[in-house]
Amino acid sequence: MRPFLARPLTAAVALAAAMTLGGCAVLSPLPAWELVKGAGAATSTALATTAPAKASNTVHHGDAPVRAVCIEFNRNAPLEDLVPALQVELKGQGVDSRVYEPGTGLQQCGVWLRYVATIEWGVPPMASGYRANLSAASLSLHRSDGTLLSTSSYVADENFGLARWAGTRNKIAPVVKALVTGFQS
């Protein structure tokens, strides 16, 4: 008989221990809220781990590696995190960068990065308001005399899915790598 008495005692101890824990409770007074929190966490995880973006249409002329570029700011691509994402990814490739308004800084820069981007608006999962997201971008590196050094692009899959809501940096990273190195991943 002892084994049968041990089981209810073990269950009672486990239940008492669970009730003293903070955070997500086993016996939550608001189970629907716990479900919503769990769904939100799952959605955030899915958005963070969507299929990686790919560079396409890369052309690299095999010039010496670029160590510094000037980014020509494009007011027609008003995605607030695009230029910071470009700069972080360039830095990761060992390339320093500075941003200039079009037509300025020509004497200071030997290599220019120019970009165009398409932005679409939509409501992300588990959100209530519209948000801009990068759906396409083309980057090019030019010498100050206008000679094209390399070019690469990003285009979102037609199916989009959750990848549509991936961060700008995740989308632009393989394009910057291809632009600088010539290798598409």
CSV table of all heavy atoms in Angstrom, one decimal, residues 64-72 86-87 90-91 93-100 105-106 108-114 140-144 149-150 179-180:
chain,number,residue,atom,x,y,z
A,64,ALA,N,39.7,45.1,-56.2
A,64,ALA,CA,40.3,45.0,-54.9
A,64,ALA,C,39.2,45.2,-53.8
A,64,ALA,O,38.3,45.9,-54.1
A,64,ALA,CB,41.4,46.0,-54.7
A,65,PRO,N,39.3,44.5,-52.7
A,65,PRO,CA,38.3,44.7,-51.6
A,65,PRO,C,38.1,46.2,-51.2
A,65,PRO,O,39.1,46.9,-51.1
A,65,PRO,CB,38.8,43.9,-50.5
A,65,PRO,CG,39.8,42.9,-51.1
A,65,PRO,CD,40.4,43.6,-52.3
A,66,VAL,N,36.9,46.5,-51.0
A,66,VAL,CA,36.6,47.9,-50.6
A,66,VAL,C,36.7,48.0,-49.1
A,66,VAL,O,36.3,47.1,-48.4
A,66,VAL,CB,35.1,48.2,-51.0
A,66,VAL,CG1,34.7,49.6,-50.5
A,66,VAL,CG2,35.0,48.2,-52.5
A,67,ARG,N,37.3,49.0,-48.6
A,67,ARG,CA,37.5,49.2,-47.1
A,67,ARG,C,36.7,50.4,-46.6
A,67,ARG,O,36.5,50.4,-45.4
A,67,ARG,CB,39.0,49.4,-46.8
A,67,ARG,CG,39.8,48.2,-47.1
A,67,ARG,CD,39.5,47.1,-46.2
A,67,ARG,NE,40.0,45.8,-46.6
A,67,ARG,CZ,39.4,44.7,-46.6
A,67,ARG,NH1,38.1,44.6,-46.2
A,67,ARG,NH2,39.9,43.6,-47.1
A,68,ALA,N,36.2,51.3,-47.4
A,68,ALA,CA,35.4,52.4,-47.0
A,68,ALA,C,34.5,52.8,-48.1
A,68,ALA,O,34.9,52.8,-49.3
A,68,ALA,CB,36.3,53.6,-46.6
A,69,VAL,N,33.2,53.1,-47.8
A,69,VAL,CA,32.3,53.6,-48.8
A,69,VAL,C,31.5,54.8,-48.2
A,69,VAL,O,31.4,55.0,-47.0
A,69,VAL,CB,31.3,52.5,-49.2
A,69,VAL,CG1,31.9,51.3,-49.8
A,69,VAL,CG2,30.4,52.1,-48.0
A,70,CYS,N,31.0,55.6,-49.1
A,70,CYS,CA,30.1,56.7,-48.8
A,70,CYS,C,28.7,56.2,-49.3
A,70,CYS,O,28.6,55.8,-50.4
A,70,CYS,CB,30.5,58.0,-49.4
A,70,CYS,SG,32.0,58.6,-48.8
A,71,ILE,N,27.7,56.3,-48.4
A,71,ILE,CA,26.4,55.9,-48.8
A,71,ILE,C,25.6,57.1,-49.2
A,71,ILE,O,25.5,58.1,-48.5
A,71,ILE,CB,25.6,55.2,-47.6
A,71,ILE,CG1,26.4,54.0,-47.1
A,71,ILE,CG2,24.2,54.9,-48.0
A,71,ILE,CD1,25.9,53.3,-45.9
A,72,GLU,N,25.1,57.1,-50.4
A,72,GLU,CA,24.3,58.2,-50.9
A,72,GLU,C,22.8,58.0,-50.4
A,72,GLU,O,22.2,57.1,-50.8
A,72,GLU,CB,24.3,58.2,-52.4
A,72,GLU,CG,23.6,59.4,-53.0
A,72,GLU,CD,23.7,59.5,-54.5
A,72,GLU,OE1,22.9,58.9,-55.2
A,72,GLU,OE2,24.7,60.2,-55.0
A,86,LEU,N,22.3,48.8,-43.4
A,86,LEU,CA,23.4,48.8,-44.3
A,86,LEU,C,24.7,49.0,-43.6
A,86,LEU,O,25.7,48.3,-43.9
A,86,LEU,CB,23.2,49.9,-45.4
A,86,LEU,CG,22.1,49.7,-46.4
A,86,LEU,CD1,21.9,50.9,-47.3
A,86,LEU,CD2,22.4,48.5,-47.3
A,87,GLN,N,24.8,50.0,-42.7
A,87,GLN,CA,26.0,50.4,-42.1
A,87,GLN,C,26.5,49.2,-41.2
A,87,GLN,O,27.7,48.9,-41.2
A,87,GLN,CB,25.9,51.7,-41.3
A,87,GLN,CG,25.8,52.9,-42.2
A,87,GLN,CD,25.8,54.2,-41.5
A,87,GLN,OE1,24.9,54.5,-40.7
A,87,GLN,NE2,26.9,54.9,-41.7
A,90,LEU,N,27.8,46.4,-43.5
A,90,LEU,CA,29.1,46.8,-44.1
A,90,LEU,C,30.2,46.7,-43.1
A,90,LEU,O,31.3,46.1,-43.4
A,90,LEU,CB,29.0,48.3,-44.6
A,90,LEU,CG,28.2,48.5,-45.9
A,90,LEU,CD1,27.9,50.0,-46.1
A,90,LEU,CD2,29.0,47.9,-47.1
A,91,LYS,N,29.9,47.1,-41.8
A,91,LYS,CA,30.9,47.0,-40.8
A,91,LYS,C,31.3,45.6,-40.5
A,91,LYS,O,32.5,45.2,-40.3
A,91,LYS,CB,30.4,47.7,-39.5
A,91,LYS,CG,31.5,47.9,-38.4
A,91,LYS,CD,32.5,48.8,-38.9
A,91,LYS,CE,33.4,49.3,-37.8
A,91,LYS,NZ,34.5,50.1,-38.3
A,93,GLN,N,31.4,43.3,-42.7
A,93,GLN,CA,32.3,42.9,-43.8
A,93,GLN,C,33.6,43.6,-43.8
A,93,GLN,O,34.4,43.5,-44.8
A,93,GLN,CB,31.5,43.1,-45.1
A,93,GLN,CG,30.3,42.3,-45.3
A,93,GLN,CD,30.6,40.8,-45.4
A,93,GLN,OE1,31.6,40.4,-46.0
A,93,GLN,NE2,29.8,40.0,-44.8
A,94,GLY,N,33.9,44.4,-42.8
A,94,GLY,CA,35.1,45.2,-42.7
A,94,GLY,C,35.2,46.4,-43.5
A,94,GLY,O,36.2,46.9,-43.8
A,95,VAL,N,34.0,47.0,-43.8
A,95,VAL,CA,33.9,48.2,-44.6
A,95,VAL,C,33.3,49.4,-43.7
A,95,VAL,O,32.3,49.3,-43.2
A,95,VAL,CB,33.0,48.0,-45.8
A,95,VAL,CG1,32.9,49.3,-46.6
A,95,VAL,CG2,33.5,46.8,-46.6
A,96,ASP,N,34.1,50.4,-43.6
A,96,ASP,CA,33.6,51.6,-42.9
A,96,ASP,C,32.7,52.4,-43.8
A,96,ASP,O,32.9,52.4,-45.1
A,96,ASP,CB,34.8,52.5,-42.5
A,96,ASP,CG,35.7,51.9,-41.4
A,96,ASP,OD1,35.1,51.2,-40.6
A,96,ASP,OD2,36.9,52.1,-41.5
A,97,SER,N,31.7,53.1,-43.3
A,97,SER,CA,30.8,53.9,-44.1
A,97,SER,C,30.4,55.2,-43.5
A,97,SER,O,30.4,55.3,-42.2
A,97,SER,CB,29.6,53.1,-44.4
A,97,SER,OG,28.9,52.8,-43.2
A,98,ARG,N,30.0,56.1,-44.3
A,98,ARG,CA,29.5,57.4,-43.9
A,98,ARG,C,28.3,57.7,-44.9
A,98,ARG,O,28.3,57.3,-46.0
A,98,ARG,CB,30.5,58.5,-43.9
A,98,ARG,CG,31.6,58.3,-42.9
A,98,ARG,CD,32.6,59.4,-42.7
A,98,ARG,NE,32.7,60.4,-43.7
A,98,ARG,CZ,33.5,61.4,-43.7
A,98,ARG,NH1,34.4,61.5,-42.7
A,98,ARG,NH2,33.5,62.3,-44.6
A,99,VAL,N,27.3,58.5,-44.4
A,99,VAL,CA,26.2,58.8,-45.2
A,99,VAL,C,26.2,60.2,-45.6
A,99,VAL,O,26.5,61.1,-44.8
A,99,VAL,CB,24.9,58.5,-44.4
A,99,VAL,CG1,23.6,58.8,-45.2
A,99,VAL,CG2,24.9,57.1,-43.9
A,100,TYR,N,25.9,60.5,-46.9
A,100,TYR,CA,25.9,61.8,-47.5
A,100,TYR,C,24.6,62.0,-48.2
A,100,TYR,O,24.0,61.1,-48.8
A,100,TYR,CB,27.0,62.0,-48.4
A,100,TYR,CG,28.4,62.1,-47.8
A,100,TYR,CD1,29.2,61.0,-47.6
A,100,TYR,CD2,28.9,63.3,-47.3
A,100,TYR,CE1,30.4,61.0,-47.0
A,100,TYR,CE2,30.1,63.4,-46.8
A,100,TYR,CZ,30.9,62.3,-46.6
A,100,TYR,OH,32.1,62.3,-46.0
A,105,GLY,N,29.9,65.6,-50.9
A,105,GLY,CA,31.0,64.7,-50.4
A,105,GLY,C,31.7,64.0,-51.6
A,105,GLY,O,32.4,63.0,-51.3
A,106,LEU,N,31.6,64.4,-52.8
A,106,LEU,CA,32.2,63.7,-53.9
A,106,LEU,C,33.7,63.6,-53.8
A,106,LEU,O,34.4,62.7,-54.2
A,106,LEU,CB,31.8,64.3,-55.2
A,106,LEU,CG,30.4,64.0,-55.7
A,106,LEU,CD1,30.1,64.8,-56.9
A,106,LEU,CD2,30.2,62.6,-55.9
A,108,GLN,N,35.5,63.6,-51.0
A,108,GLN,CA,36.0,62.7,-49.9
A,108,GLN,C,35.9,61.2,-50.1
A,108,GLN,O,36.4,60.5,-49.4
A,108,GLN,CB,35.1,63.1,-48.6
A,108,GLN,CG,35.3,64.4,-48.0
A,108,GLN,CD,34.3,65.4,-48.6
A,108,GLN,OE1,33.6,65.1,-49.5
A,108,GLN,NE2,34.3,66.6,-48.0
A,109,CYS,N,35.1,60.8,-51.2
A,109,CYS,CA,34.8,59.4,-51.3
A,109,CYS,C,35.3,58.8,-52.6
A,109,CYS,O,35.1,59.4,-53.7
A,109,CYS,CB,33.3,59.2,-51.3
A,109,CYS,SG,32.6,59.8,-49.7
A,110,GLY,N,36.0,57.7,-52.4
A,110,GLY,CA,36.5,57.0,-53.6
A,110,GLY,C,35.5,56.0,-54.1
A,110,GLY,O,35.5,55.6,-55.3
A,111,VAL,N,34.6,55.5,-53.2
A,111,VAL,CA,33.6,54.5,-53.5
A,111,VAL,C,32.3,54.9,-52.9
A,111,VAL,O,32.2,55.3,-51.8
A,111,VAL,CB,34.0,53.1,-53.1
A,111,VAL,CG1,32.9,52.0,-53.4
A,111,VAL,CG2,35.4,52.6,-53.6
A,112,TRP,N,31.2,54.8,-53.8
A,112,TRP,CA,29.9,55.2,-53.3
A,112,TRP,C,29.0,53.9,-53.3
A,112,TRP,O,29.0,53.1,-54.3
A,112,TRP,CB,29.3,56.2,-54.3
A,112,TRP,CG,29.8,57.6,-54.0
A,112,TRP,CD1,31.0,58.1,-54.5
A,112,TRP,CD2,29.3,58.5,-53.1
A,112,TRP,NE1,31.2,59.4,-54.0
A,112,TRP,CE2,30.1,59.6,-53.2
A,112,TRP,CE3,28.2,58.6,-52.3
A,112,TRP,CZ2,29.9,60.8,-52.4
A,112,TRP,CZ3,27.9,59.7,-51.5
A,112,TRP,CH2,28.8,60.8,-51.6
A,113,LEU,N,28.1,53.8,-52.3
A,113,LEU,CA,27.1,52.8,-52.3
A,113,LEU,C,25.8,53.6,-52.6
A,113,LEU,O,25.4,54.5,-51.9
A,113,LEU,CB,27.0,52.1,-51.0
A,113,LEU,CG,26.0,51.0,-50.9
A,113,LEU,CD1,26.4,49.9,-49.9
A,113,LEU,CD2,24.6,51.4,-50.5
A,114,ARG,N,25.1,53.1,-53.6
A,114,ARG,CA,23.8,53.7,-54.0
A,114,ARG,C,22.7,52.6,-53.8
A,114,ARG,O,23.0,51.4,-54.1
A,114,ARG,CB,23.8,54.3,-55.4
A,114,ARG,CG,24.7,55.5,-55.4
A,114,ARG,CD,24.7,56.2,-56.8
A,114,ARG,NE,25.5,57.4,-56.7
A,114,ARG,CZ,26.7,57.5,-57.1
A,114,ARG,NH1,27.3,56.5,-57.7
A,114,ARG,NH2,27.4,58.7,-57.0
A,140,SER,N,24.3,49.1,-55.2
A,140,SER,CA,25.4,49.1,-56.2
A,140,SER,C,26.6,49.9,-55.6
A,140,SER,O,26.4,50.9,-54.9
A,140,SER,CB,25.0,49.7,-57.5
A,140,SER,OG,24.5,51.0,-57.4
A,141,LEU,N,27.8,49.5,-55.9
A,141,LEU,CA,29.0,50.2,-55.6
A,141,LEU,C,29.6,50.8,-56.8
A,141,LEU,O,29.7,50.2,-57.9
A,141,LEU,CB,30.0,49.2,-55.0
A,141,LEU,CG,29.8,48.7,-53.6
A,141,LEU,CD1,30.9,47.7,-53.1
A,141,LEU,CD2,29.7,49.8,-52.6
A,142,HIS,N,29.9,52.1,-56.7
A,142,HIS,CA,30.5,52.8,-57.8
A,142,HIS,C,31.8,53.6,-57.4
A,142,HIS,O,31.8,54.1,-56.2
A,142,HIS,CB,29.5,53.9,-58.3
A,142,HIS,CG,28.2,53.4,-58.8
A,142,HIS,ND1,27.9,53.1,-60.1
A,142,HIS,CD2,27.1,53.1,-58.0
A,142,HIS,CE1,26.7,52.7,-60.1
A,142,HIS,NE2,26.2,52.6,-58.9
A,143,ARG,N,32.7,53.7,-58.3
A,143,ARG,CA,33.9,54.6,-58.0
A,143,ARG,C,33.4,56.0,-58.2
A,143,ARG,O,32.3,56.3,-58.8
A,143,ARG,CB,35.0,54.3,-59.0
A,143,ARG,CG,35.7,53.0,-58.7
A,143,ARG,CD,37.1,53.0,-59.4
A,143,ARG,NE,37.7,51.8,-59.1
A,143,ARG,CZ,38.0,50.9,-60.1
A,143,ARG,NH1,37.8,51.2,-61.3
A,143,ARG,NH2,38.6,49.8,-59.7
A,144,SER,N,34.2,56.9,-57.7
A,144,SER,CA,33.7,58.4,-57.8
A,144,SER,C,33.6,58.8,-59.2
A,144,SER,O,32.9,59.8,-59.5
A,144,SER,CB,34.7,59.3,-57.0
A,144,SER,OG,36.0,59.1,-57.5
A,149,LEU,N,31.4,48.9,-59.7
A,149,LEU,CA,32.2,47.9,-59.1
A,149,LEU,C,31.4,46.6,-58.9
A,149,LEU,O,31.9,45.5,-59.2
A,149,LEU,CB,32.8,48.3,-57.8
A,149,LEU,CG,33.7,49.6,-57.9
A,149,LEU,CD1,34.1,50.0,-56.5
A,149,LEU,CD2,35.0,49.2,-58.7
A,150,SER,N,30.2,46.7,-58.4
A,150,SER,CA,29.4,45.6,-58.1
A,150,SER,C,27.9,46.0,-57.9
A,150,SER,O,27.6,47.2,-57.6
A,150,SER,CB,29.9,44.8,-56.9
A,150,SER,OG,29.8,45.6,-55.7
A,179,LEU,N,27.5,42.1,-52.3
A,179,LEU,CA,28.0,43.3,-52.9
A,179,LEU,C,29.5,43.5,-52.7
A,179,LEU,O,30.2,43.8,-53.6
A,179,LEU,CB,27.2,44.5,-52.4
A,179,LEU,CG,27.4,45.8,-53.0
A,179,LEU,CD1,26.8,45.9,-54.3
A,179,LEU,CD2,26.8,46.9,-52.1
A,180,VAL,N,29.9,43.2,-51.5
A,180,VAL,CA,31.3,43.4,-51.1
A,180,VAL,C,32.2,42.3,-51.6
A,180,VAL,O,33.3,42.5,-52.0
A,180,VAL,CB,31.4,43.6,-49.5
A,180,VAL,CG1,32.8,43.7,-49.1
A,180,VAL,CG2,30.7,44.9,-49.1
